[in-house]
Amino acid sequence: MAIIVQKYGGTSVGNVDRIKNVAAKIKSFWDKGDKVAVVVSARSGVTNELIARAKSVCQNPDDREMDMILATGEQETIALTAMALHAIGVPAVSRTGAQAGIVTNSLHSRARIAKLTGGDIVERLNEGKVVVVAGFQGISSENEITTLGRGGSDLTAIALAAAINADLCQIYTDVDGVYSADPRIVLNARKLQRICYEEMLELASSGSKVMQSRSVEFAQKYGVPFEVRSSFNDKPGTIVKALEKTMEDAVVAGVALDRTQTRVTVGDLPDTPEAFSAIFNALGEFAVSVDMIIKNVGKAGAANLTFSVNTDQVARAEKVINDVLKKIGSGTFRSSGEIAKVSIVGVGMTSHPGVAGTLFAALAKAGINSELITTSEIKISVGIEPAKADEAVRAIHAAFGLDAPAAK
């Protein structure tokens, strides 16, 4: 008997038939005597539909009201999943994020978990019930419904596993594990049997859509190993856990692609640390993530900053930066087009020289120029022309020997 937390994404519960299939899968664990808590997302497409409906009423809807409407997507799914379990003889009860004791800060649309009590989940599990929890949502200390941002159901599942001391956390999705690259781009990408938190975090933050980066951070902080696997088959997935020495063999674990970046330039700035601090502190205060920063100083001594932000945050970044520039008394803001961010990730990079050389040689051979560059101990990211993104991923993947052997 084990305590298991399972998370099913929007595609896995996309329609009634798929919800019934999920219920059957849950029953197979419950039949063995396992205690099962399940976290579900809104059905595929529902969140986008709710956003579109809200914007048809108000072009710039209030974040609080958006949280109120978006939270209904997961609440529909928990009720349907519990009903599907009832229909096959499994006692089940649904719980919203608030009922599950997911307490967050007050930042609507991108709240962070402050405390997770688990509510009455353990008691209901001990009664032999399956508990179905709404992902993506919580409640603030002011008793306001909040949401955790896109991919927040992953975070709910990891946090719940930590709160109830689960023996196993399974993230069910529409892919059967973590791959060395997006299999839709690289047809011979390899499925990884295991990957460490550090690599998974860098892949997630670099554009891999398998896991939300905040959920990986939470798993690493609280030591929650988890498995990414498919809800459509019974094949083993990819285990994500703490780093082991045997996991350092590969120089590069994978290649990630993020198509949602826009290049921003702030020009004619005073070349002072106070000016840079004012800009980046303001962006951080308004939750605008910044990546791939380049600073140039012109002949007149004025500085130019070029960096990338998520495309859906450009309008917010422009407003924040223009407010700062007014206070500084100089400077200009310019959004100069979308870019694609291609990243290589691997803990082996720290002890293997020549990684950057291999990366840029692959890009040079493919005739692809890099516009922005950023690095960490286990990651190198380059900003390139979006039209050449797929070609770049394939070239880099092959250059590092990540292609799977051809089938015999």
Side-chain angles (χ1 to χ4, degrees), residues 187-190 401-408:
L187 298 181
N188 52 355
R190 298 186 185 193
L402 297 175
D403 291 352
K408 295 182 179 179

Side-chain angles (χ1 to χ4, degrees), residues 82-361:
M83 293 173 190
L85 287 164
H86 296 162
I88 56 176
V90 179
V93 60
S94 61
R95 289 288 183 265
T96 64
Q99 290 172 323
I102 301 172
V103 182
T104 74
N105 63 14
S106 302
L107 198 59
H108 286 289
S109 81
R110 52 193 183 278
R112 302 188 73 87
I113 295 177
K115 180 174 63 174
L116 202 156
T117 67
D120 66 346
I121 291 176
V122 172
E123 289 85 348
R124 301 292 82 79
L125 292 176
N126 288 336
E127 292 172 356
K129 295 179 180 177
V130 171
V131 183
V132 188
V133 179
F136 175 66
Q137 61 181 251
I139 192 164
S140 72
S141 57
E142 292 82 17
N143 209 34
E144 296 278 1
I145 291 175
T146 56
T147 63
L148 307 176
R150 287 284 186 158
S153 294
D154 291 342
L155 179 57
T156 303
I158 297 293
L160 182 59
I164 66 174
N165 295 313
D167 299 296
L168 181 63
C169 183
Q170 298 173 316
I171 307 295
Y172 284 93
T173 181
D174 56 352
V175 296
D176 57 359
V178 181
Y179 279 77
S180 55
D182 188 335
R184 294 168 296 185
I185 299 173
V186 182
L187 298 181
N188 52 355
R190 298 186 185 193
K191 186 173 82 171
L192 307 175
Q193 292 184 336
R194 60 186 178 179
I195 189 171
C196 65
Y197 293 128
E198 291 85 353
E199 290 173 329
M200 188 70 244
L201 180 58
E202 291 285 16
L203 286 172
S205 63
S206 299
S208 173
K209 305 302 181 186
V210 177
M211 286 289 294
Q212 185 220 45
S213 59
R214 281 167 59 196
S215 63
V216 183
E217 287 180 346
F218 201 100
Q220 182 177 24
K221 180 178 179 179
Y222 291 97
V224 180
F226 60 92
E227 181 184 14
V228 179
R229 59 186 301 166
S230 174
S231 60
F232 302 119
N233 60 55
D234 294 321
K235 296 178 181 177
T238 299
I239 300 294
V240 184
K241 58 189 294 187
L243 176 66
E244 298 174 354
K245 289 184 178 180
T246 55
M247 298 170 73
E248 297 184 28
D249 297 336
V251 178
V252 172
V255 184
L257 171 61
D258 185 353
R259 303 181 192 271
T260 64
Q261 296 287 307
T262 293
R263 183 175 52 234
V264 164
T265 299
V266 184
D268 299 323
L269 281 171
D271 186 19
T272 65
E274 290 79 11
F276 305 145
S277 173
I279 287 174
F280 291 118
N281 280 340
L283 289 171
E285 182 180 345
F286 285 88
V288 178
S289 299
V290 174
D291 197 1
M292 295 192 288
I293 304 169
I294 293 178
K295 170 192 168 185
N296 295 309
V297 179
K299 293 181 180 179
N304 296 323
L305 285 174
T306 299
F307 50 87
S308 66
V309 300
N310 289 334
T311 300
D312 62 1
Q313 293 185 318
V314 172
R316 180 181 293 169
E318 181 175 9
K319 182 181 184 306
V320 170
I321 290 172
N322 281 333
D323 287 345
V324 173
L325 296 182
K326 287 178 184 177
K327 296 176 182 177
I328 293 175
S330 66
T332 60
F333 174 94
R334 181 166 59 93
S335 171
S336 46
E338 294 184 2
I339 58 172
K341 182 174 72 172
V342 179
S343 306
I344 56 171
V345 173
V347 292
M349 291 169 58
T350 58
S351 56
H352 289 78
V355 175
T358 302
L359 168 64
F360 289 104

